Amino acid sequence: MSNSVISVESVSKTYRLGVLNHGTLRRDLQSWWARRRGLPDPNIEIGKSEVRAGTDFKALEDVSFDVQNGETVGIIGRNGAGKSTLLKILSRVAAPDRGRVRIRGRVSSLLEVGTGFHPELTGRENVFLNGAILGMTKTEIRRKFDEIVGFAEIDEFIDTPVKRYSSGMYVRLAFAVAAHLEPDILIVDEVLAVGDHEFQKKCLGKMKDVRTQGRTVLFVSHNMTAVNNLCVRSILLQKGKVIADGPSSEVTRTYLGTALTATQSHWQFALPAGETKRAFVREVFITDLNDEKREAYELTKDFVIGIRYRLTEQIRGLTVGLQIVSEDNNETLVSLTDAELDMTRLETREAGDYFARIRIPARLLNTGTYSLRIGMSRSRHDIYDVVEGLSFRIIDSVGIVMFLGYERKGSLLSVQLPWTVEREGSTVNAKSSAAG
């Protein structure tokens, strides 16, 4: 269409797996030497099968859509759906194997923390470097410089080399540069997860400002509430293909419905080749109190959520948290490990593998299907990893809900609370349950 600023036509992208893809020469040589000797690859994630060298992985397959001038479009999908690959192609970081992409206007991209920054340079120097990479003149950068630094809230550290910045400081400065240098098209990947809650709200507000100025925004996020608030339209990717494109409220509902139909009790994760993180989730599972994994869990019985994770370096004040969301996209429960709750006694954990678990009491969640989101952060500032798209079911095979004579009708909780039944001259304690 004549008003299209982005036109994607039958774009496909295929990667070759298992060939020099660990990210460092040392690890690549380790893997190559192990294969030559017929030994297991020492760099394969524990619990994962080895990827056969030369295997093709279709990150994108025949993707087509148009974005109009001034639109704010959400790109959503489960991990590995092809979202980041698509944005890299739109940002000209990667090229498609087939198809064509046409873009009209200046593009500003924020794909991952520190992209376009040089670690030895100061924050001030990197603002000018990154701005130049984005095609800005020195005059433009000077005009916006104070506003950029003020937005990033790093005034006292602006002349410090960015290699000393935390990941949260990195992303604050990187987003400030990308958003303030007046791009025609702003592309933002999930990097907004790296930052405290207040800064995330600030970033969403800035993107709304960019939208009201008639500019175009592409926004990738696993936060469906943020997508619905910011984006009128969303595109859902699944296994590299577009399976839904329309109003955000409908597309996010489709996404949640797709995720929640494939309930299971065990998930494993591995970092993409070449990617490093200070902390990341390796495994999540749900069991009953006998350590049995089930297709669904009883309303009247406790169950356990277990999380295995790895630290690649020492971290002080690490918090592991979970969020349980109903099939209606209502945030039902949030719980964090206690390190976050007592700021006076922050634990320091050494590099290594860890196991966290939480026991969910019986008759807390009502019957239905729920999605699970796991996050790892440090003192509410730096978020290291987030995994989502996990889902499980709560069932009522005993018939308590029907015994009470009502249908669920969207109730989220089914909590056992203390009741008293009073009669003239006496009080009788009744162990009854109230379904929320």
Side-chain angles (χ1 to χ4, degrees), residues 247-285:
S248 289
S249 58
E250 296 179 9
V251 175
T252 55
R253 192 157 49 242
T254 299
Y255 166 65
L256 291 171
T258 301
L260 296 178
T261 54
T263 58
Q264 59 185 80
S265 295
H266 189 203
W267 304 266
Q268 289 182 308
F269 308 93
L271 291 181
E275 183 175 333
T276 59
K277 288 185 178 182
R278 297 179 66 189
F280 61 94
V281 177
R282 298 177 54 235
E283 183 180 8
V284 179
F285 58 85

Side-chain angles (χ1 to χ4, degrees), residues 44-218:
I44 291 296
E45 183 74 25
I46 296 173
K48 291 287 186 182
S49 59
E50 185 168 351
V51 176
R52 181 172 57 85
T55 301
D56 288 342
F57 171 71
K58 292 184 178 180
L60 294 173
E61 188 174 357
D62 197 29
V63 171
S64 298
F65 60 88
D66 289 318
V67 178
Q68 307 303 309
N69 184 40
E71 270 197 297
T72 302
V73 180
I75 310 291
I76 62 176
R78 302 183 71 176
N79 294 331
K83 305 183 298 296
S84 294
T85 299
L86 175 60
L87 294 197
K88 286 177 181 177
I89 290 174
L90 294 176
S91 303
R92 306 296 169 87
V93 175
D97 297 328
R98 294 187 304 277
R100 182 170 64 171
V101 174
R102 291 183 293 181
I103 297 177
R104 192 178 71 202
R106 188 163 58 181
V107 177
S108 180
S109 303
L110 189 56
L111 301 181
E112 45 185 79
V113 177
T115 299
F117 278 24
H118 193 294
E120 299 296 332
L121 300 180
T122 66
R124 182 185 304 274
E125 292 165 333
N126 270 294
V127 169
F128 282 89
L129 172 64
N130 198 234
I133 291 172
L134 294 173
M136 311 300 169
T137 66
K138 187 177 288 188
T139 301
E140 285 181 283
I141 300 170
R142 283 195 180 119
R143 179 164 52 87
K144 290 283 186 177
F145 183 82
D146 291 339
E147 190 176 347
I148 291 169
V149 175
F151 185 92
E153 301 174 359
I154 58 165
D155 306 61
E156 59 184 310
F157 303 108
I158 192 62
D159 291 309
T160 301
V162 298
K163 67 181 180 181
R164 298 198 177 99
Y165 286 11
S166 68
S167 57
M169 293 169 67
Y170 247 111
V171 79
R172 290 204 298 272
L173 186 57
F175 181 86
V177 173
H180 282 80
L181 296 183
E182 300 180 357
D184 299 307
I185 302 168
L186 177 62
I187 297 177
V188 184
D189 203 345
E190 190 68 62
V191 291
L192 290 188
V194 187
D196 58 38
H197 180 65
E198 289 304 314
F199 185 72
Q200 290 178 37
K201 288 171 58 178
K202 198 175 183 180
C203 290
L204 291 173
K206 183 61 180 178
M207 284 190 283
K208 287 181 179 178
D209 291 342
V210 171
R211 180 185 63 187
T212 58
Q213 293 166 6
R215 299 189 178 97
T216 304
V217 178
L218 293 185

Side-chain angles (χ1 to χ4, degrees), residues 7-46:
S7 181
V8 178
E9 302 173 6
S10 303
V11 165
S12 296
K13 180 68 175 178
T14 302
Y15 291 106
R16 299 280 284 175
L17 301 181
V19 182
L20 295 181
N21 65 348
H22 289 303
T24 66
L25 178 61
R26 180 180 64 84
R27 295 178 70 192
D28 287 338
L29 288 174
Q30 285 178 338
S31 299
W32 173 80
W33 183 241
R35 288 198 293 267
R36 284 291 301 269
R37 298 169 63 194
L39 299 175
D41 188 339
N43 294 308
I44 291 296
E45 183 74 25
I46 296 173

Side-chain angles (χ1 to χ4, degrees), residues 319-320 336-343 345-347 349:
T319 297
V320 179
L336 307 170
T337 52
D338 58 2
E340 180 87 7
L341 303 180
D342 187 353
M343 301 299 291
R345 295 188 299 111
L346 295 178
E347 293 184 38
R349 294 195 175 97

